[in-house]
Amino acid sequence: MSQRLNLTRIPCPGLKTKPEPGAKLGFGSLFTDFMFALDYTEGKGWHDARIEPYAPLELDPSCMTLHYGQTIFEGMKAYRGEDDSVRLFRPRLNFERMNVSAKRMGIPTLDVDLALQALEALIRQEADWVPGEPGTSLYIRPFIFATEGHLGVRVAKTYRFLIILSPSGAYYESGLDPVSIYIEDEYVRAVRGGTGFAKTAANYAVSLLSQIVAKERGYEQVLWLDGVERRYIEEVGSMNVFFVIDGEPVTPVLNGSILPGITRRSVLELLEHQGRPAREMRLAVDELMELARAGRVTEVFGTGTAAVISPVGRLSYGEESISFTYNPADSLAYQLYDDLTGIQYGHKPDELGWVHCVTPGRKPQTEGSL
Ligand code: COI
């Protein structure tokens, strides 16, 4: 049986001014008034659940996370529906994945129901921060990190689980405009047996140098190849990747070094539901470039919670760069973006039961919107 959350609410001396409706929100730099916090102590388990003011943390300089990187995170969103309801998208999957990451990093796991209760309580308290403009949402960042101060290399004995909230717009400044991607053939992000499937800071830290090089060369994102043969397509740093080859949607099969994205899974399930199943397969970069050269790759797009669906307009590998035309009217990426966001915001029916309402609607749904 799942535990019931015993929550303390710590008041805030003063509340922040919320952004004006219609203000450009960007991604991940504005935070709400409160956060959820829960501590873990070896021998005692998780304790002291609280909603407290969002504020800087006090850390011991020997805090083990700062030295050995024992930390994991998730990315999710709360959407304001057309009827004013506040809605989450498949939130259990995020907390289940967080536990998979926790196990890999030697971090204690969390009861999924307890984590969900915590998130719901925080979202209810901060519901006025969920923006309502098209394409905006309240980005949710749950994370766990070691708090113990100690310099020996071992798993920590104390941790903190925090959930912070950030009203956000599009992840990429270019919005739904196609991004350009540089295929990295020197550095690798992950190897099988490593941590590629876990959402842990190290996977992102190792990607940053390539991101600098990609930017210098005029590309926005990096596409990773497998770490052994440096031949098979894996993922983009903040998204999984799909291709339309000879009319069929294709994505790299999960192999232990690719992040099992929840948007990736939802796209696969949605395509299956719509009678247009995608293929998960090993995809070699040289074969992909050959198919692209022959005009058989008609679309490339990324999928991720933050980025949603992001069309790719240019792919570069070695000396070669291939462009793809993005035409929303006949694009699978656009159709998937429209279907997914339609379900998330509530103007398309939730046939697969993915939406988890946190606060009920207060306004009638506009006629014909469902
Ligand atoms: C997400 O899509 O939520 C992510 O976690 C990717 C990135 C912002 C790190």
Side-chain angles (χ1 to χ4, degrees):
M1 219 182 88
S2 75
Q3 294 162 257
R4 248 194 75 73
L5 184 71
N6 188 1
L7 189 66
T8 303
R9 289 178 200 263
I10 301 168
C12 212
L15 299 182
K16 298 173 188 170
T17 308
K18 296 186 179 60
E20 292 293 325
K24 198 166 185 291
L25 293 173
F27 178 82
S29 42
L30 174 69
F31 297 93
T32 69
D33 294 299
F34 291 92
M35 61 187 182
F36 174 82
L38 180 68
D39 286 312
Y40 178 91
T41 307
E42 192 182 77
K44 185 172 175 187
W46 291 103
H47 59 91
D48 288 328
R50 57 206 183 270
I51 290 181
E52 62 185 27
Y54 180 99
L57 305 172
E58 192 169 294
L59 292 180
D60 193 291
S62 66
C63 170
M64 294 173 84
T65 299
L66 301 178
H67 301 269
Y68 308 126
Q70 221 190 344
T71 178
I72 53 173
F73 70 92
E74 274 301 321
M76 356 177 25
K77 283 176 175 172
Y79 307 86
R80 186 169 295 284
E82 228 182 80
D83 60 354
D84 220 22
S85 58
V86 174
R87 314 147 65 86
L88 298 170
F89 183 72
R90 313 186 83 182
R92 297 186 70 84
L93 294 184
N94 288 89
F95 291 124
E96 283 164 9
R97 185 174 65 180
M98 194 162 84
N99 280 340
V100 172
S101 303
K103 283 193 184 127
R104 179 63 184 86
M105 302 306 290
I107 291 175
T109 55
L110 255 173
D111 182 288
V112 169
D113 289 307
L114 197 93
L116 196 50
Q117 286 174 52
L119 175 59
E120 284 180 337
L122 180 65
I123 298 280
R124 272 194 209 103
Q125 180 156 333
E126 297 288 70
D128 288 348
W129 281 94
V130 181
E133 285 71 39
T136 63
S137 59
L138 186 67
Y139 185 76
I140 302 165
R141 174 54 62 88
F143 60 111
I144 304 179
F145 62 101
T147 48
E148 186 186 352
H150 178 75
L151 290 183
V153 180
R154 58 159 170 76
V155 291
K157 295 180 180 166
T158 61
Y159 298 86
R160 187 163 299 163
F161 169 50
L162 293 179
I163 307 177
I164 56 174
L165 307 174
S166 175
S168 295
Y171 182 67
Y172 295 117
E173 271 178 30
S174 56
L176 243 192
D177 289 346
V179 291
S180 56
I181 288 195
Y182 161 82
I183 303 179
E184 174 60 270
D185 57 2
E186 185 179 1
Y187 300 109
V188 298
R189 169 188 173 272
V191 291
R192 254 155 280 160
T195 59
F197 65 90
K199 228 165 156 50
T200 185
N203 292 337
Y204 296 83
V206 297
S207 75
L208 298 177
L209 175 59
S210 301
Q211 206 179 85
I212 294 172
V213 175
K215 286 239 154 79
E216 280 168 2
R217 297 186 184 177
Y219 293 87
E220 284 155 287
Q221 287 283 312
V222 176
L223 177 62
W224 298 100
L225 300 179
D226 76 281
V228 179
E229 295 177 59
R230 300 191 193 189
R231 180 161 183 236
Y232 295 97
I233 304 279
E234 297 231 313
E235 64 171 86
V236 179
S238 50
M239 317 185 278
N240 294 111
V241 66
F242 281 73
F243 303 89
V244 179
I245 304 177
D246 293 333
E248 184 187 33
V250 170
T251 193
V253 64
L254 299 181
N255 59 358
S257 58
I258 295 177
L259 185 84
I262 288 155
T263 312
R264 173 190 182 278
R265 172 169 165 177
S266 303
V267 162
L268 290 174
E269 291 175 8
L270 197 58
L271 288 170
E272 176 89 44
H273 181 70
Q274 293 172 346
R276 189 184 181 178
R279 190 141 55 107
E280 297 177 77
M281 61 181 283
R282 259 194 357 158
L283 195 58
V285 63
D286 44 342
E287 288 166 16
L288 177 80
M289 292 305 279
E290 202 177 306
L291 290 166
R293 245 175 263 130
R296 292 170 61 187
V297 181
T298 45
E299 272 189 75
V300 183
F301 57 91
T303 63
T305 298
V308 198
I309 305 283
S310 183
V312 174
R314 195 156 60 104
L315 211 52
S316 124
Y317 180 56
E319 296 304 305
E320 190 174 9
S321 167
I322 298 187
S323 295
F324 303 90
T325 320
Y326 171 62
N327 176 10
D330 61 6
S331 149
L332 179 64
Y334 185 79
Q335 188 203 309
L336 286 165
Y337 174 84
D338 196 48
D339 288 346
L340 266 185
T341 54
I343 295 168
Q344 290 162 339
Y345 291 95
H347 45 263
K348 288 206 173 181
D350 177 23
E351 286 168 8
L352 293 159
W354 286 343
V355 171
H356 182 102
C357 266
V358 181
T359 66
R362 289 180 288 202
K363 290 199 294 209
Q365 199 81 35
T366 51
E367 214 175 301
S369 67
L370 271 181

